[in-house]
Amino acid sequence: MKLYYKPGACSMAAHIILNEVSAPHSLEKVDTGAGITDAGQAYSDINPRGYVPALRLEDGDVITENSAVLQFLGDHFADHALIPKAGTKERLRLQEVLSFLSSELHVAFSPFFTKPEMNEERKQSATQKLTRKIGEFDALLPDAAPFILGDGFSVADAYAFVILNWTNFIGVSLDPWPKLVEFQARIGKRPAVMQTLQEEGLAA
Ligand SMILES: N[C@@H](CCC(=O)N[C@@H](CS)C(=O)NCC(=O)O)C(=O)O
């Protein structure tokens, strides 16, 4: 498999999962602004929508959209129990969380990356919306279990970790949500996560 990625971007969730399961894989960095991969290929030939992640399978097929990529990896490496079985209520819960992460929490960070020059008023309103979404995610996390779905690490934890890590780049503190601070520390200590941060050039 080959993962098209950008350091620190949402593609890092799939990268974490590939490392969690020790899957043989290669990585190709994408300059999404220029629309070109490290190997000099036009990225629009891989994902016509121009964003990461994209996962190329051994048969040449390409999967895009983080929720789909993560569910594919979870199902493909089913022995690692990183995703509930398809068709179960637990799987539905996982899909609920992935949908919230991609269409609510992830999107709430977008203004900080796409319009970094926004004025103070817009920044305040974007920050308000973002902190509301962070609070909603905090409420989704169980109080007495380490991971989003309970006792087992899942693909949703990897995605949540990556998104919440962006607070470090935009100067928003997670301190008002101690459960999230602990969550980030817990996930950040996983060997696969440390390896991924290292490989993407983001290790502290
Ligand atoms: N709907 C897509 C959104 C993916 C997305 O927003 N990717 C960002 C990085 S997190 C990206 O590649 N943006 C283009 C850029 O940064 O230039 C998904 O869920 O996979």
Side-chain angles (χ1 to χ4, degrees):
M1 286 180 203
K2 181 192 275 191
L3 176 68
Y4 293 90
Y5 82 107
K6 190 171 149 178
C10 51
S11 45
M12 193 161 89
H15 190 180
I16 289 171
I17 298 304
L18 288 165
N19 283 333
E20 278 282 341
V21 302
S22 302
H25 65 275
S26 59
L27 298 169
E28 190 158 336
K29 192 152 55 164
V30 182
D31 178 342
T32 51
I36 196 136
T37 75
D38 251 10
Q41 194 177 357
Y43 189 57
S44 57
D45 290 347
I46 295 143
N47 182 358
R49 294 180 301 288
Y51 45 69
V52 291
L55 184 71
R56 188 181 290 286
L57 309 184
E58 299 308 326
D59 64 5
D61 277 353
V62 172
I63 306 176
T64 60
E65 300 299 324
N66 223 0
S67 296
V69 169
L70 290 171
Q71 290 189 68
F72 168 80
L73 289 173
D75 287 334
H76 193 74
F77 298 104
D79 289 355
H80 292 263
L82 296 172
I83 197 164
K85 222 166 161 317
T88 60
K89 192 182 272 176
E90 289 75 21
R91 178 60 167 262
L92 190 63
R93 289 292 169 220
L94 182 275
Q95 285 168 329
E96 208 173 14
V97 175
L98 287 179
S99 294
F100 173 80
L101 290 173
S102 69
S103 67
E104 301 291 335
L105 190 59
H106 180 157
V107 164
F109 279 86
S110 296
F112 296 91
F113 296 121
T114 57
K115 301 184 195 107
E117 72 294 338
M118 64 189 153
N119 66 29
E120 209 39 52
E121 195 184 334
R122 277 174 182 235
K123 195 170 174 188
Q124 255 186 25
S125 134
T127 305
Q128 250 174 29
K129 180 162 185 207
L130 174 62
T131 52
R132 193 169 70 242
K133 294 295 160 191
I134 294 175
E136 287 170 6
F137 179 68
D138 183 63
L140 275 177
L141 258 189
D143 289 327
F147 304 112
I148 297 171
L149 297 183
D151 289 328
F153 176 80
S154 75
V155 296
D157 295 294
Y159 191 13
F161 172 82
V162 169
I163 298 176
L164 293 175
N165 191 45
W166 296 338
T167 54
N168 294 314
F169 305 127
I170 62 166
V172 168
S173 170
L174 287 178
D175 287 352
W177 303 278
K179 207 166 43 166
L180 294 184
V181 173
E182 279 173 31
F183 176 80
Q184 285 302 88
R186 185 179 307 123
I187 307 290
K189 281 192 197 121
R190 296 180 75 81
V193 174
M194 293 195 287
Q195 179 186 348
T196 305
L197 289 166
Q198 186 83 39
E199 289 172 354
E200 297 204 4
L202 297 167

